[in-house]
Amino acid sequence: MKHKKDFPIFESQKGLVYLDSASTSQKPKQVIKSIVDSYETTNANIHRGIYDLSQKATKKYEDSKKIIAKFIKASEKEIIFTRSTTESINFLAYTLPSILSKEKDEIVLTEMEHHSNIVPWQQLAKRNNMRLKFIRVKDDFTLDLEDAKRKINEKTAIVSLMHVSNTFGTINPVKWIFNLAKKHNSITVLDAAQSVAHMKIDVRDLNCDFLTFSGHKIYAPMGIGVLYGRRDLLERLSPFNFGGDMIKSVTLEKSEWNTIPERFEAGTQNIEGAIALGEAIRYLEKIGITKIGKWEKDLIDYAAKELIKVKGIKIYLPRNHTGILSFNVEGLHSHDVASMLDDYNICIRAGHHCNMPLMKRFGITGTARASFALYNTKEDADKLILAINEVTRKLNNSSKRDQIKEIVRKVK
Amino acid sequence: MKHNDLNIGMYKEDIMELYKNPENFGEIENATHKHTEYNSFCGDEVTITLLVEKDKVKDAKFSGSGCVISTVSSTLLTSKLRGMKISEVKRLTKNDMLKLFKVKINPARIKCVLLPLEAVRGTLK
């Protein structure tokens, strides 16, 4: 694929090898142009202007919802704009309790969750006297489905898990797990932050009650996220934020809520971000999401095949994976690896990846993580491989004792 | 092939040598002062032991596990401590630590440089 040219960052930052798209993706000029267009041609507040400009802005905002809904096979009434995946999960942790039945008091997560899919539920459990259970992760970086069978039962109120691991790139068998959850009438929540840019998603096929992702990981701006909710469930949920635009009527004594999804979008929204997210998806779909996923996977498999040849490299790659290649260099902290790669203008993420329990599970302090997007090329992979070879050579060069004594002496 | 000014030299040869063969590594058996400091963000851990006699550091060692920068920082700091008065040790600053390296440290890694100093401060609490 030849889409690097669509991303102005690679024009301004010559030689940049960006392998941190799982953290945040770069933005194509189509998306950047959309933001500029919003401010230059249709900037007005939505839903309340009588005048034409406001209606133009409203239409673009609503059109974006239609694009997003179609993208995940939902209806536009089921799409709520949030700030991010994190905010969406917090939204659910605060609003779901009102529709849970009393005899269900367990929340099932997995050991591989991002902190953002652990901490809000921990707080909910504390507030409502519920219990958390975690599906175990096996040594091959996949979920233990036998353990899932044990942990998901009639007491399970909510099952929330990530579609793709942000540390190992594992693609989780979501459909299987959610089918199991549905047998016990549990609410299913999917964190699609690491999958949505790499594979087709169909919320009905996966049996998701709720699904969330962040715009900035899918070539859209930061500060815009999506929460999908099944229509009948959204109808039953109370609002999360209260204020303007989410009401039908207000008196000094009480208020009536707006219909969905507006009921959940209080206050002025990130309008240009919402519109740009629609544009990002349009861009993605033009290229083809399946094609993008395959391109990235081929690059990862190629890089993994080459890196495994380097002495002292440990690779953490599950069989069924996407987007991410995690590894460690024996004898080096992952932060050192990332700093050393920075010398070669290669951007990777290192450390615990907001997965501290998962790191503990594998007895490591972190990993070096290279993540791939549609703009990455074989040349990027080759530069990574070359740099890792040089890093390990640097580490394994013979020592010079006298030289060390001299450095230490000079400290005095 | 190098581009990033901030990082140039952070992993130069002598620093890598010091990492592979740290000086002053271990624990002083008859230490008068001991403290362990952690960086939970990255999992680094450094224990400093001091032998203080007549208000002077007679010996200083470090142990634990850490990245290149914190390990080298520990070696350089323990070397510097030997012979220093406690009052002088207490006055050591972030800048003193950065000066030990003689290369520019990327802001993202300054915490690693300071970890052994935090441990030393812990021994004196």
Side-chain angles (χ1 to χ4, degrees):
Chain A
M1 291 207 294
K2 290 193 164 63
H3 296 284
K4 210 166 210 168
K5 58 174 184 4
D6 291 340
F7 293 79
I9 191 107
F10 299 112
E11 272 301 311
S12 78
Q13 305 294 312
K14 294 279 183 219
L16 176 70
V17 179
Y18 190 76
L19 295 173
D20 195 20
S21 301
S23 188
T24 194
S25 62
Q26 297 300 338
K27 320 303 173 198
K29 56 180 186 262
Q30 289 83 346
V31 166
I32 298 168
K33 184 175 176 296
S34 157
I35 300 169
V36 174
D37 277 354
S38 280
Y39 284 119
E40 287 186 350
T41 66
T42 57
N43 184 48
N45 216 328
I46 55 167
H47 290 156
R48 50 200 101 174
I50 304 298
Y51 50 88
D52 184 55
L53 193 67
S54 166
Q55 280 163 18
K56 276 184 181 146
T58 305
K59 183 169 187 317
K60 278 169 79 174
Y61 183 85
E62 298 297 340
D63 282 351
S64 175
K65 269 196 184 172
K66 283 182 193 157
I67 294 171
I68 295 160
K70 208 173 146 217
F71 184 56
I72 58 170
K73 310 279 187 294
S75 129
E76 65 206 76
K77 292 283 175 204
E78 297 174 313
I79 303 296
I80 301 163
F81 283 124
T82 63
R83 271 193 301 143
S84 59
T85 302
T86 298
E87 191 182 54
S88 302
I89 296 174
N90 276 281
F91 172 109
L92 293 174
Y94 275 98
T95 54
L96 283 182
S98 67
I99 63 164
L100 299 177
S101 55
K102 281 210 173 70
E103 61 274 17
K104 287 179 175 288
D105 63 352
E106 292 182 354
I107 302 165
V108 176
L109 311 171
T110 83
E111 281 182 343
M112 65 167 74
E113 295 313 307
H114 189 280
H115 295 164
S116 64
N117 198 26
I118 298 178
V119 186
W121 302 118
Q122 278 176 344
Q123 295 303 308
L124 167 62
K126 226 190 226 176
R127 283 194 303 273
N128 288 32
N129 203 18
M130 297 175 83
R131 269 170 302 156
L132 295 186
K133 286 189 166 180
F134 295 88
I135 299 170
R136 282 210 299 260
V137 176
K138 296 193 290 184
D139 290 344
D140 65 359
F141 321 113
T142 65
L143 292 175
D144 182 342
L145 297 182
E146 286 305 311
D147 194 43
K149 281 187 205 163
R150 283 189 292 273
K151 285 179 178 152
I152 298 172
N153 54 47
E154 70 283 357
K155 285 186 176 163
T156 310
I158 300 162
V159 176
S160 181
L161 78 152
M162 55 186 3
H163 198 178
V164 166
S165 159
N166 67 310
T167 290
F168 301 132
T170 317
I171 303 173
N172 286 323
V174 173
K175 193 173 170 177
W176 189 94
I177 293 174
F178 282 181
N179 281 343
L180 180 64
K182 280 296 154 199
K183 279 186 192 142
H184 298 288
N185 291 319
S186 316
I187 293 202
T188 56
V189 179
L190 188 62
D191 166 2
Q194 294 297 346
S195 61
V196 73
H198 309 291
M199 62 178 75
K200 273 194 171 146
I201 288 180
D202 180 332
V203 288
R204 313 240 183 256
D205 180 55
L206 290 177
N207 238 328
C208 293
D209 291 331
F210 296 92
L211 173 144
T212 175
F213 63 90
S214 300
H216 73 97
K217 291 190 202 291
I218 183 172
Y219 311 103
M222 295 184 180
I224 187 76
V226 168
L227 174 63
Y228 150 82
R230 220 178 70 201
R231 192 175 185 149
D232 59 311
L233 290 172
L234 287 185
E235 296 282 7
R236 290 164 59 203
L237 283 188
S238 300
F240 176 45
N241 288 317
F242 299 87
D245 215 32
M246 53 76 67
I247 46 83
K248 199 190 288 173
S249 72
V250 177
T251 65
L252 290 180
E253 291 76 29
K254 61 178 176 57
S255 305
E256 270 185 75
W257 311 141
N258 205 336
T259 51
I260 64 161
E262 286 77 19
R263 182 189 303 168
F264 303 105
E265 294 178 348
T268 293
Q269 298 296 298
N270 177 358
I271 297 165
E272 84 286 0
I275 295 167
L277 174 53
E279 200 54 49
I281 290 173
R282 209 196 298 258
Y283 172 78
L284 205 68
E285 289 201 300
K286 214 180 226 172
I287 300 169
I289 189 105
T290 310
K291 196 173 147 197
I292 292 168
K294 184 176 183 312
W295 170 260
E296 294 157 340
K297 186 170 184 295
D298 287 349
L299 286 179
I300 288 169
D301 289 345
Y302 166 70
K305 195 176 96 233
E306 291 303 313
L307 285 181
I308 207 120
K309 294 178 191 159
V310 185
K311 198 172 156 269
I313 298 282
K314 164 113 180 101
I315 286 180
Y316 309 88
L317 196 62
R319 207 173 53 82
N320 197 11
H321 61 87
T322 188
I324 283 161
L325 176 59
S326 247
F327 60 94
N328 265 319
V329 179
E330 197 186 325
L332 273 186
H333 193 288
S334 59
H335 286 159
D336 289 320
V337 177
S339 284
M340 288 162 107
L341 291 182
D342 190 27
D343 284 358
Y344 298 89
N345 214 359
I346 299 172
C347 308
I348 63 156
R349 177 79 178 262
H352 57 59
H353 314 299
C354 295
N355 275 139
M356 285 170 111
L358 186 64
M359 297 297 115
K360 199 175 165 198
R361 154 70 181 84
F362 283 91
I364 49 181
T365 56
T367 71
R369 182 190 76 182
S371 52
F372 293 75
L374 67 89
Y375 37 72
N376 289 119
T377 57
K378 183 168 175 292
E379 197 190 356
D380 292 338
D382 281 331
K383 282 182 179 169
L384 173 73
I385 295 156
L386 183 71
I388 289 293
N389 270 292
E390 284 192 24
V391 163
T392 53
R393 207 172 306 136
K394 223 171 178 178
L395 189 68
N396 297 320
N397 271 347
S398 63
S399 323
K400 300 167 189 122
R401 299 293 300 173
D402 297 345
Q403 196 183 330
I404 295 162
K405 294 266 183 228
E406 182 61 15
I407 304 161
V408 176
R409 198 184 55 75
K410 275 190 203 155
V411 168
K412 302 306 250 177
Chain B
M1 205 175 164
K2 300 195 174 197
H3 300 275
N4 193 325
D5 292 344
L6 279 176
N7 260 358
I8 288 179
M10 210 160 88
Y11 292 92
K12 62 183 192 173
E13 206 178 319
D14 43 5
I15 286 181
M16 288 309 287
E17 290 305 325
L18 265 185
Y19 170 66
K20 286 183 273 179
N21 300 285
E23 293 278 307
N24 318 329
F25 189 82
E27 289 198 16
I28 303 167
E29 264 180 40
N30 54 337
T32 53
H33 294 68
K34 181 177 175 176
H35 183 76
T36 304
E37 196 66 41
Y38 305 89
N39 181 345
S40 58
F41 171 69
C42 61
D44 279 10
E45 175 192 326
V46 58
T47 298
I48 296 275
T49 47
L50 301 179
L51 179 62
V52 178
E53 277 178 12
K54 291 177 188 158
D55 229 30
K56 255 190 173 176
V57 179
K58 215 179 155 206
D59 196 8
K61 285 194 170 180
F62 80 98
S63 59
S65 66
C67 64
V68 171
I69 307 300
S70 80
T71 305
V72 171
S73 183
S74 295
T75 286
L76 296 174
L77 177 61
T78 43
S79 299
K80 186 179 173 69
L81 289 180
R82 289 178 182 167
M84 280 178 81
K85 285 186 195 156
I86 293 300
S87 56
E88 292 169 341
V89 175
K90 282 184 174 166
R91 282 201 300 271
L92 284 173
T93 64
K94 175 178 158 186
N95 268 345
D96 295 326
M97 293 303 294
L98 292 174
K99 271 186 218 152
L100 290 175
F101 274 81
K102 301 194 170 57
V103 290
K104 239 183 180 175
I105 300 292
N106 186 305
R109 305 303 300 278
I110 284 176
K111 260 190 166 175
C112 316
V113 173
L114 297 181
L115 187 66
L117 180 63
E118 296 297 331
V120 168
R121 284 175 177 161
T123 68
L124 300 176
K125 264 180 193 159

